[in-house]
Amino acid sequence: MRITLGVTGGVAAYKAAELVRRLQQEGHSVQVVMTRAAREFVTPLTFAALSGQKVITDLFADSSGGEANLESAIEHIAVAQRTDLLLVAPATADIIAKFARGVADDFLATLYLACAAPVVIAPAMNVNMWNHAATQENVAVLRARAVKVVDPDQGYLACGMTGPGRLASIEEILAAIHEVTKAQRDLEGETILVSAGPTCEDLDPVRYLTNRSSGKMGYAVAEAAAKRGAKVILVSGPVNLETPAGVERIDVRTAEEMYRSVAGRFGEASIAILAAAVADYRPVERRAEKIKKGDALLAISLEPTVDILAEVAKHKGQKIVVGFAAETDQVAENARKKLASKNADLIVANDVAAEGAGFDRDTNIVTLFSRDGRDLALPKMPKSEVAQRVLDEVVRLRAVLHSPAARLSNV
Ligand code: PMT
């Protein structure tokens, strides 16, 4: 796992060095981010030597502390994207307040806002600062946002006082990380078949019919599912994206090829999430030679392709089958029709005409229509976040549909 460790300015900052070592022993790679105050207690060099990676210290300098440039200005986004877990130890009252209020005036606070990964904080501070209503309120805000807080230990503090405020032990911090990551691996044991991207239907050796799907939505689902512990098989139309880590990818070009691959691997899957934009029609004939230009009108006959989703869902048994619906009008009505006609358990409907939604964007706006009657409209969010919400709904449906009561009543 890629852990980003934020070290903030407290006497306990030196203990983070041991934490780096222990995390590495557990097989994690550790990227250290230090606040300005942390550097008053420990030098970045200590963490660079231990982690084997440059330590990030400033929002507007490159990781080696050099001049600001475009790369360094957006580095917090790049680090956020490659972070599987954000750990802050020790966490001062100051960084807790910044996280709670969304202040983004240094690298770590900005990273927190940009990061979709789970967050664990281990506070350490003077007992009065910890007990202060302001700190307690801020901690409560973070807990409500699912940040895992490893409470400070009781004991004699560096300030000479006694009480809660000492950084929790390394063992307690590691146990909190294990707890969080276990909860994040709620798809362990599942095999998830995902389809993504467009299909291309050839007219002749140089021309084809296709659509504007970039594959981003389906790849985000595949990546999120793999991170949550599933075995993922990704059947992909032609796209310009890297295969997510740990995902088996099968490249296809046409709707027919996609059908064969999806149907061929469907038996292995416990869950299928079909996000590909499959051609509904293909040319009846693929000409062997390039169609010549002429003055007469040219008509191309098209025939329907197999509806992959509807076809595989006929034999779904206990599997959970999720489809997407790309709509431009009457989104809810059309999505509900697709839920029923395609025998799906969940339809993720996007109004592809809406700003910030649909094809070839980094964000999407979707409503989830579930077989048990729940409709969940989500606001605009990154496709990575949409993917997580779709998987959350799959996990919920798994519990509902596989409950003994549901089996009896055949929900
Ligand atoms: O790839 P991106 O650029 O990130 O864009 C994402 C997306 C807009 C492509 C995605 O969010 C999406 O909506 N995918 C489904 C697109 C689509 O084909 O919608 P549809 O309403 O025509 O099809 C409904 C469902 O049937 C889909 O799950 C589709 O995969 C499936 N289908 C459709 C036709 C067909 N011949 N076989 C199918 O299995």
Side-chain angles (χ1 to χ4, degrees), residues 372-394:
D372 64 344
R374 183 167 116 125
D375 298 351
L376 180 64
L378 299 175
K380 181 164 104 176
M381 56 179 69
K383 282 182 174 167
S384 56
E385 190 55 35
V386 172
Q388 295 289 357
R389 305 297 286 269
V390 170
L391 294 175
D392 289 347
E393 190 63 5
V394 167

Side-chain angles (χ1 to χ4, degrees), residues 143 170 225:
R143 283 194 213 271
I170 303 277

